[in-house]
């Protein structure tokens, strides 16, 4: 709140409705300065990001509210999606006055404005945000039989021992090429669907599965072909079909900002019989790339020469990826995928994202589009351009890195109120459907393993030390205590909780590729796995956790308590992220609640609940 009781956009006494609004919505504002300030006039000052317009709208004096004046007025949101920035201007009859913005009253003429997101209403599939997502790095999940890489693109080799550490050392040329494989397959994933179903998983998010020279496969070589080490298109179709039989869906990773230099389209080393852009300017794919000096100087992703950037505006590329009758987007949806996660969405133009969304809706109307964005995606600026990811025609939701950042800060000793503030900022800025379609997580293939991050007392200086580092028993115990709390918040918060494969089994590891080890089948941390399984079951059993509203009951220091409600169903998450016991008193309607994590019934009398939370303790109350 900028100035006590003058204006708070999250309070319905000051602004209705809450947060982002659809185009054309009537938004009512109330400002309540003290009468002693002597203000006689108030105006809403607006700046519209995308239309480039600015204007003032006077809010008439409505009357007195105790010791305060009340200025009120209604704004009609634009008919087209936009990002509105607003503050207020107060003035007296003698012409003196000031501005009111997020920081309070100010007279310097500058303003730190509030944000009002205006979006186009569109259909968002409900199945994603309500369910539980599981991210799989396909090479490292399950190997059924030895796999021979002979004759495939790239100088690949396979670890004989499934329990080896991924190769992290540079090759003789000083490059880390990720050419070591473990032989996980799509059939291996299919064989574990019952295990994933038991975990509560409803959506499988697969890291890239198309032919590629590296184990991570983010340097695509052939978008039309499943990497032979993973299997065949028939294997993919079987995985999707068998997942559907279990009430699960499959999302693919779309890497459309760049290809691999060894791809059939660029073909730098001549592996493919086709004529690549690096071999001839007469190549059918030459227009896909931006050469500064052909063939040795070209745009690439973050300057990595093995990842030549594509020219998204090339008509043949757009047709191949999106528009064509059998485009990549359409083809793999028809093969059984239920959506796409877009790698480095910041690198893709807005019009390109719009086209992908449109093609998906034409091909599979119930499919979902998720973007990789690391910040608040409602106001993100990338390459000097304000982005439009969430305004209704691009992504349905985003990877929620702000959630991860805020939650890990909290369980690592931060203030619960900082977590609340960070999440309320997102809830205020995001269209509701996008907030509830966020992909929430504790870790991904791009971050250190969550257990290592929470448990390690230190980060060793050298990569060699980090590669061999294993948590000491006390470190592991401390990490698991924090992870249990973080997982409870993850599974009870709006948005789809995503598990990075193996986190539920207690896998460890610092940064890439140490965070991409093989799943420890038969050696899982059974207690931790049981905890995640219980949370998955609860998530799927209670509509309040899938789509309910959120309200904050207590957020201070190590104590985080919030409620989710759907109709008459109300569940309360209570977390104590500290080594000390705490008791908090809550107003409570009805009988004493049941803790769904333990089965205990807690006493309640006189409409008051004295909630006791032991060190690193938590409850989920019904």
């Amino acid at each position: 709140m900028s100035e006590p009781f003058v204006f708070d956009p999250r309070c319905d006494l000051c602004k209705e409705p809450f947060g982002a609004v659809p185009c054309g919505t009537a938004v009512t504002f109330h400002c309540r300065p003290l009468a002693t300030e002597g203000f006689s006039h108030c105006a809403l000052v607006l700046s519209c990001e995308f239309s480039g317009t600015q204007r003032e709208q006077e809010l008439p004096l409505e009357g007195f509210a105790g010791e305060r004046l009340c200025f009120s007025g209604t704004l009609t949101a634009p008919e087209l999606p936009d990002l509105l920035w607003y503050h207020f201007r107060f003035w007296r009859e003698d012409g003196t006055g000031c501005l009111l913005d997020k920081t309070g009253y100010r007279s310097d003429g500058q303003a730190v404005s509030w944000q009002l997101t205006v979006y186009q209403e569109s259909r968002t599939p409900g199945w994603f945000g309500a369910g539980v997502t599981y991210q799989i790095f396909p090479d490292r999940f399950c190997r059924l039989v030895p796999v021979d890489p002979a004759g495939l693109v790239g100088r690949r080799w396979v670890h004989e021992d499934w329990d080896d550490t991924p190769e992290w050392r540079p090759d003789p040329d000083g490059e880390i090429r990720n050419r070591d494989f473990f032989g996980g397959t799509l059939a291996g994933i299919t064989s574990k669907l019952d295990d994933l179903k038991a975990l509560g998983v409803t959506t499988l998010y697969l890291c890239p599965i198309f032919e590629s020279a590296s184990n991570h496969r983010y340097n695509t070589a052939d978008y039309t072909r499943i990497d032979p080490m993973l299997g065949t298109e028939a294997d993919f179709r079987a995985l999707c079909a068998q997942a559907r039989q279990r009430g699960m869906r499959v999302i693919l990773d779309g890497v459309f900002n760049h290809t691999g230099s060894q791809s059939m389209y660029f073909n730098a080393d001549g592996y493919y019989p086709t004529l690549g852009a690096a071999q001839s300017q007469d190549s059918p794919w030459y227009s896909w790339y931006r050469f500064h000096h052909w063939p040795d100087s070209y745009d690439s992703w973050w300057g990595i020469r093995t990842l030549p950037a594509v020219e998204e505006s090339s008509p043949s590329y757009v047709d191949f990826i999106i528009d064509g009758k059998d485009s990549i987007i359409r083809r793999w949806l028809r093969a059984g995928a239920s959506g796409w996660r877009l790698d480095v969405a910041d690198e893709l133009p807005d019009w390109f994202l719009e086209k992908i969304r449109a093609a998906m809706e034409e091909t599979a109307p119930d499919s979902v589009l998720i973007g990789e964005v690391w910040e608040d995606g409602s106001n993100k600026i990338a390459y000097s351009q304000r982005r439009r990811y969430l305004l209704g025609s691009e992504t349905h939701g985003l990877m929620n890195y702000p959630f991860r950042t805020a939650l890990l800060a909290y369980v690592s000793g931060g203030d619960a109120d900082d977590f609340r503030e960070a999440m309320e900022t997102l809830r205020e800025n995001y269209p509701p459907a996008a907030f509830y379609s966020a992909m929430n997580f504790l870790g991904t293939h791009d971050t250190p393993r969550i257990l290592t991050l929470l448990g390690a007392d230190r980060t060793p200086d050298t990569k060699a030390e980090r590669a061999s580092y294993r948590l000491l028993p006390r470190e592991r115990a401390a990490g698991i205590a924090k992870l249990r709390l973080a997982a409870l918040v993850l599974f009870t918060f709006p948005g789809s909780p995503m598990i990075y494969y193996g986190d539920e089994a207690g896998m460890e590891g610092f940064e890439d590729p140490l965070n991409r080890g093989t799943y420890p089948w038969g050696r899982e941390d059974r207690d931790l796995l049981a905890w995640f399984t219980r949370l998955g079951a609860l998530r799927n059993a209670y509509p309040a956790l899938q789509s309910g509203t959120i309200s904050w009951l207590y957020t201070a220091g190590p104590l985080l308590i919030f409620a989710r409600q759907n109709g008459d169903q109300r569940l309360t998450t209570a977390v104590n992220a500290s080594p000390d016991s705490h008791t908090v008193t809550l107003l409570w309607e009805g009988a004493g609640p049941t803790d769904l994590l333990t089965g205990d019934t807690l006493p309640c009398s006189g409409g008051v609940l004295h909630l006791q939370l032991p060190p690193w303790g938590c409850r989920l109350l019904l």
Side-chain angles (χ1 to χ4, degrees):
M1 188 177 299
S2 64
E3 191 77 15
F5 306 110
V6 178
F7 181 77
D8 178 2
R10 298 175 188 169
C11 175
D12 58 11
L13 291 175
C14 298
K15 174 180 173 289
E16 291 183 295
F18 173 88
V21 298
C23 295
T25 299
V27 184
T28 302
F29 295 91
H30 304 279
C31 283
R32 300 153 50 88
L34 289 167
T36 54
E37 297 285 352
F39 298 131
S40 55
H41 299 275
C42 173
L44 174 68
V45 184
L46 289 168
S47 176
C48 302
E49 179 87 24
F50 297 120
S51 66
T53 60
Q54 297 181 349
R55 65 187 177 96
E56 284 194 13
Q57 176 177 327
E58 187 162 356
L59 305 183
L61 177 61
E62 189 174 77
F64 287 85
E67 61 184 355
R68 295 179 177 274
L69 299 177
C70 185
F71 295 92
S72 301
T74 298
L75 166 74
T76 300
E79 293 299 324
L80 295 177
D82 213 327
L83 202 60
L84 273 55
W85 303 99
Y86 68 93
H87 61 276
F88 301 94
R89 185 168 70 89
F90 292 99
W91 68 97
R92 305 175 183 90
E93 292 297 343
D94 64 5
T96 62
C98 63
L99 303 182
L100 176 74
D101 68 3
K102 293 173 72 173
T103 67
Y105 289 129
R106 60 194 305 160
S107 57
D108 59 2
Q110 304 299 314
V112 181
S113 297
W114 287 280
Q115 174 181 328
L116 176 60
T117 305
V118 179
Y119 62 94
Q120 185 69 51
E121 288 189 291
S122 59
R123 184 176 181 276
T124 296
W127 56 265
F128 176 76
V132 177
T133 302
Y134 193 86
Q135 182 188 5
I136 294 178
F137 195 89
D139 181 62
R140 310 289 162 83
F141 188 63
C142 180
R143 177 173 71 186
L144 297 179
V145 296
V147 179
D148 184 3
L152 300 180
V153 62
R155 296 192 300 273
R156 312 187 194 191
W157 59 277
V158 179
H159 293 261
E160 292 185 10
D161 188 345
W162 181 251
D163 298 325
D164 277 355
T165 299
E167 184 54 65
W168 54 269
R169 290 160 292 203
D171 65 13
D173 296 328
E175 298 282 345
I176 300 176
R177 300 188 186 276
N178 298 291
R179 296 300 194 261
D180 64 313
F181 287 74
F182 284 84
T185 62
L186 297 181
I189 298 172
T190 303
S191 74
K192 299 297 184 181
L193 286 177
D194 287 338
D195 296 83
L196 294 170
K197 179 68 175 178
L199 185 60
V201 173
T202 57
T203 302
L204 301 181
Y205 154 39
L206 307 182
C207 289
I209 61 173
F210 305 123
E211 183 167 77
S212 170
S214 65
N215 55 48
H216 55 68
R217 300 186 171 94
Y218 282 94
N219 51 340
T220 312
D222 185 348
Y223 290 102
T224 69
R225 187 185 189 200
I226 302 294
D227 193 283
M229 289 187 70
L230 290 177
T232 63
E233 183 170 330
D235 292 326
F236 175 72
R237 289 176 177 269
L239 169 60
C240 294
Q242 293 195 36
R244 285 271 191 163
Q245 292 172 11
R246 294 166 173 81
M248 304 163 71
R249 299 177 185 244
V250 175
I251 293 178
L252 293 178
D253 212 330
V255 186
F256 303 132
N257 162 260
H258 52 268
T259 69
S261 60
Q262 294 178 292
S263 67
M264 64 183 297
Y265 319 108
F266 200 80
N267 212 15
D269 61 355
Y271 169 82
Y272 289 95
T274 51
L275 198 63
Q279 297 169 299
S280 172
Q281 297 182 51
D282 293 326
S283 167
W285 301 297
Y286 178 76
S287 67
W288 289 17
Y289 302 95
R290 297 185 288 268
F291 287 96
H292 306 298
H293 179 274
W294 183 86
D296 55 355
S297 178
Y298 46 86
D299 283 354
S300 58
W301 184 71
W302 284 41
I304 302 173
R305 288 179 54 80
T306 56
L307 299 176
V310 299
E311 177 55 74
E312 291 93 352
S313 62
S314 168
S316 64
Y317 184 71
V318 174
D319 188 70
F320 175 73
I321 296 294
I322 308 173
D323 285 347
K325 180 180 178 180
D326 196 31
S327 68
I328 298 306
I329 292 293
R330 302 177 193 273
R331 168 184 179 149
W332 294 108
L333 290 175
R334 293 192 188 107
S338 293
W340 290 91
R341 175 265 191 189
L342 297 179
D343 183 58
V344 294
D346 289 345
E347 314 277 342
L348 299 170
D350 285 301
W351 63 264
F352 194 84
L353 301 184
E354 287 186 356
K355 277 183 163 290
I356 290 177
R357 169 83 172 262
M360 291 174 64
E361 291 181 345
E362 290 175 3
T363 308
D366 202 32
S367 59
V368 69
L369 183 62
I370 304 296
E372 180 197 10
V373 176
W374 286 57
E375 301 84 8
D376 180 336
S378 71
N379 52 37
K380 175 68 186 289
I381 295 177
Y383 296 96
S384 302
Q385 295 291 320
R386 184 82 69 178
R387 302 306 303 266
R388 308 184 188 214
Y389 307 117
L390 302 178
L391 296 186
S393 61
E394 298 184 17
T395 60
H396 293 103
L398 302 174
M399 296 188 72
N400 202 347
Y401 276 95
F403 170 85
R404 173 183 181 269
T405 299
L407 181 56
L408 297 192
Y410 159 62
V411 299
S412 299
D415 193 319
D417 202 55
D418 291 337
F419 174 76
R420 179 202 59 80
E421 173 61 26
M423 294 304 96
E424 282 296 275
T425 297
L426 289 187
R427 190 168 75 93
E428 184 179 6
N429 291 348
Y430 282 28
F435 185 73
Y436 281 82
S437 296
M439 182 186 280
N440 301 334
F441 52 87
L442 304 176
T444 73
H445 65 291
D446 287 325
T447 66
R449 283 284 174 180
I450 184 61
L451 187 54
T452 297
L453 200 61
L454 293 177
D457 289 339
R458 64 184 183 89
T459 300
D461 294 331
T462 69
K463 189 94 173 201
E465 292 176 301
R466 296 194 294 276
S468 62
Y469 193 94
R470 296 296 179 269
L471 296 174
L472 299 172
R474 62 173 174 76
E475 292 178 309
R476 190 172 176 89
I480 288 177
K482 296 175 184 177
L483 177 52
R484 285 168 59 92
L485 302 185
L488 174 61
V489 176
L490 173 69
F491 274 79
T492 58
F493 203 78
S496 177
M498 188 195 83
I499 306 168
Y500 179 45
Y501 81 102
D503 279 350
E504 79 283 8
M507 287 180 64
E508 301 178 22
F510 283 100
E511 77 280 14
D512 164 25
L514 308 175
N515 58 351
R516 302 174 182 179
T518 53
Y519 191 95
W521 295 107
R523 296 180 291 103
E524 301 94 333
D525 183 313
R526 291 295 174 182
D527 290 340
L528 189 58
L529 180 59
W531 180 255
F532 273 84
T533 300
R534 178 63 175 153
L535 295 178
L538 291 169
R539 172 78 182 205
N540 290 323
Y542 290 95
L545 297 183
Q546 300 167 25
S547 58
T549 59
I550 184 170
S551 57
W552 306 90
L553 305 186
Y554 191 92
T555 56
L559 301 183
L560 172 65
I561 306 175
F562 61 87
R564 302 287 307 282
Q565 185 153 356
N566 186 312
D568 293 334
Q569 188 179 89
R570 180 180 173 94
L571 279 76
T572 299
T573 299
V575 172
N576 173 21
S578 81
D580 302 313
S581 296
H582 287 274
T583 299
V584 62
T585 300
L586 302 175
L587 297 177
W588 200 269
E589 296 182 6
T594 298
D595 184 355
L596 297 177
L597 301 174
T598 63
D600 297 339
T601 299
L602 308 186
C604 177
S605 62
V608 174
L609 174 67
H610 299 288
L611 181 61
Q612 297 180 345
L613 293 170
W616 304 108
C618 57
R619 291 190 181 276
L620 181 59
L621 305 178
L622 174 64

